[in-house]
């Protein structure tokens, strides 16, 4: 086993640390604005996504309720028109057929 251990050189598992690059050069300290945005922006992304999802859900709910209201109003209007048609058909059935027996006078426009 001794010959094998000579061939295999132990390597360090230590990964060198990388320097984190800031908004400005790494030699100058970051400004207060860049520090504020660097600390706040990652936390704002989930809030923006959640707000967008809630907004789109409410828009969908509003359009669905508006469509249901339109359908209810249309059904009411159709029901009223059907009642009016039924009433007019009953009135027509009750009237005597005297209008067809009347003689239409000849037109006076023709000379003969």
């Amino acid at each position: 086993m001794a010959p094998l251990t000579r061939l295999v050189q132990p390597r360090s598992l230590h990964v060198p640390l990388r320097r984190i690059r800031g908004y400005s050069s790494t030699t100058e300290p970051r400004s207060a604005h860049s520090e504020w945005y660097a600390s706040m922006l990652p936390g704002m992304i989930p809030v923006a996504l959640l707000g967008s999802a809630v907004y789109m859900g409410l828009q969908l709910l509003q359009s669905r309720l508006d469509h249901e209201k339109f359908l209810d109003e249309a059904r009411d209007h159709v029901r009223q028109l059907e009642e009016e048609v039924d009433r007019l058909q009953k009135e027509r059935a009750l009237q005597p057929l005297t209008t067809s027996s009347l003689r239409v006078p000849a037109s006076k426009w023709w000379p003969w």
Side-chain angles (χ1 to χ4, degrees), residues 45-88:
I45 291 172
V47 173
L49 290 175
L50 180 64
S52 297
V54 167
Y55 176 77
M56 290 174 64
L58 290 174
Q59 283 289 100
L60 179 65
L61 179 66
Q62 191 245 351
S63 67
R64 186 172 183 120
L65 290 174
D66 189 39
H67 182 67
E68 285 182 17
K69 180 182 174 185
F70 170 76
L71 288 178
D72 288 342
E73 290 173 355
R75 285 185 193 113
D76 288 341
H77 188 64
V78 167
R79 185 182 45 77
Q80 289 173 357
L81 291 174
E82 286 175 347
E83 289 173 358
E84 185 178 349
V85 167
D86 290 341
R87 182 183 55 82
L88 290 173

Side-chain angles (χ1 to χ4, degrees), residues 95-106:
Q95 287 180 350
L97 297 175
T98 57
T99 57
S100 63
S101 64
L102 291 176
R103 188 170 177 191
V104 178

